[in-house]
Amino acid sequence: MRLATWNVNSLTARLARVTEWIGAHGPDVLCLQETKQADVKFPTEAFSALGYESAHHGDGRWNGVALLSRVGLADVVRGFGSPEDARGCRIIAATCGGVRVLSVYVPNGRSLQSEFYTVKLEWLARLRGMLDETCGAGDPVAVCGDFNVAPDDGDVWDPAKFVGATHVSEPERAALRHVEAWGLTDVFRRFNDPGVFTWWDYRAGDFHQGRGMRIDLVLLSAGLADRAKAAAMDRDARKGQKPSDHAPVIVDISDG
């Protein structure tokens, strides 16, 4: 299975880039975040023409998540079904090729003093709760998306520049570790050295200057993690005209 995740920062603006990328890289499952579309606007037919089933959860504002699969798409669940859903359409789950796949868009947090920071920590706690409630030990599970957390200092271009900022604070990292403690592994760093990023601010030439963060993650349950054979960030997708500020992350998993 080739599993990929990409925060596209408006599918309306970047549909052509996404369909072109799919044609070039052929993911079996693609998790999308920040579609910024309502369900009625989601381009189901465009993806169907490429051989993908799709499911979307969005209200047309700043969030929105989706799953595309060419290996089956069953038992779709949109949202947590809890008060955390009031913070936007940020999670969708489905079974694809025998794997329970979750596409997640974790709240940003804004600042350590913001109420949204507390919301972020609560949202991550609810994600762990969902895993506890809906997935069993030994189940093949993949949690993919924009976590808005850099797991450690090797995932930011200069740790000193982030002191007192979100995305790197210890409570956020602890909340992410709590999610992983369900039985998930961040496989990307097995295949990549520190300093490989997935997001760069549009401003001040940050992409070209290498000032980025790794906040887009693929977390795999034990059986899947053991079979991961490659993981990469597609830097070329961050180039060209009107790119997303995120690059896709791809993980290849061998057959069981």
Side-chain angles (χ1 to χ4, degrees):
M1 175 183 285
R2 169 162 282 189
L3 180 62
T5 186
W6 193 1
N7 179 321
V8 294
N9 193 7
S10 176
L11 188 55
T12 300
R14 274 170 268 281
L15 177 59
R17 289 192 66 128
V18 172
T19 55
E20 180 182 12
W21 189 87
I22 289 172
H25 294 275
D28 295 301
V29 180
L30 175 58
C31 302
L32 299 177
Q33 302 86 42
E34 207 173 353
T35 64
K36 297 183 179 179
Q37 289 184 333
D39 290 343
V40 295
K41 295 291 187 180
F42 186 74
T44 302
E45 293 182 359
F47 296 126
S48 179
L50 297 173
Y52 290 81
E53 296 179 80
S54 60
H56 182 256
H57 181 41
D59 59 15
R61 293 184 290 172
W62 58 88
N63 42 59
V65 287
L67 285 166
L68 313 181
S69 174
R70 62 180 184 182
V71 292
L73 188 72
D75 302 322
V76 177
V77 173
R78 295 170 171 85
F80 289 127
S82 71
E84 284 77 15
D85 289 336
R87 297 301 180 174
C89 302
R90 294 182 175 275
I91 184 167
I92 188 169
T95 300
C96 308
V99 177
R100 193 62 178 170
V101 182
L102 289 70
S103 178
V104 305
Y105 179 32
V106 178
N108 180 285
R110 300 193 182 182
S111 74
L112 302 188
Q113 295 75 37
S114 171
E115 65 176 295
F116 293 96
Y117 179 76
T118 301
V119 165
K120 182 178 191 174
L121 299 178
E122 293 172 346
W123 200 97
L124 284 164
R126 185 68 193 99
L127 174 59
R128 169 60 193 265
M130 182 181 188
L131 291 167
D132 289 334
E133 295 160 10
T134 64
C135 301
D139 288 352
V141 177
V143 185
C144 313
D146 178 358
F147 280 77
N148 272 313
V149 180
D152 63 45
D153 283 353
D155 296 311
V156 296
W157 69 276
D158 183 352
K161 301 293 185 182
F162 291 86
V163 173
T166 58
H167 295 66
V168 302
S169 72
E170 179 51 30
E172 291 167 282
R173 287 174 168 172
L176 175 60
R177 291 194 297 269
H178 185 56
V179 172
E180 293 175 329
W182 178 84
L184 301 169
T185 299
D186 178 3
V187 296
F188 187 84
R189 285 285 286 273
R190 185 187 303 170
F191 301 95
N192 297 271
D193 293 331
V196 178
F197 307 130
T198 65
W199 174 89
W200 302 260
D201 198 312
Y202 285 125
R203 297 169 292 183
D206 278 6
F207 176 64
H208 302 289
Q209 297 296 323
R211 297 190 291 256
M213 294 193 292
R214 185 175 74 95
I215 56 177
D216 302 273
L217 311 178
V218 174
L219 308 181
L220 300 181
S221 57
L224 295 177
D226 289 345
R227 288 161 33 209
K229 58 183 182 179
M233 174 273 297
D234 183 11
R235 183 178 173 84
D236 287 342
R238 181 59 174 78
K239 301 175 182 178
Q241 294 295 314
K242 297 183 178 179
S244 171
D245 46 355
H246 295 252
V249 174
I250 306 168
V251 174
D252 288 326
I253 303 167
S254 63
D255 294 337

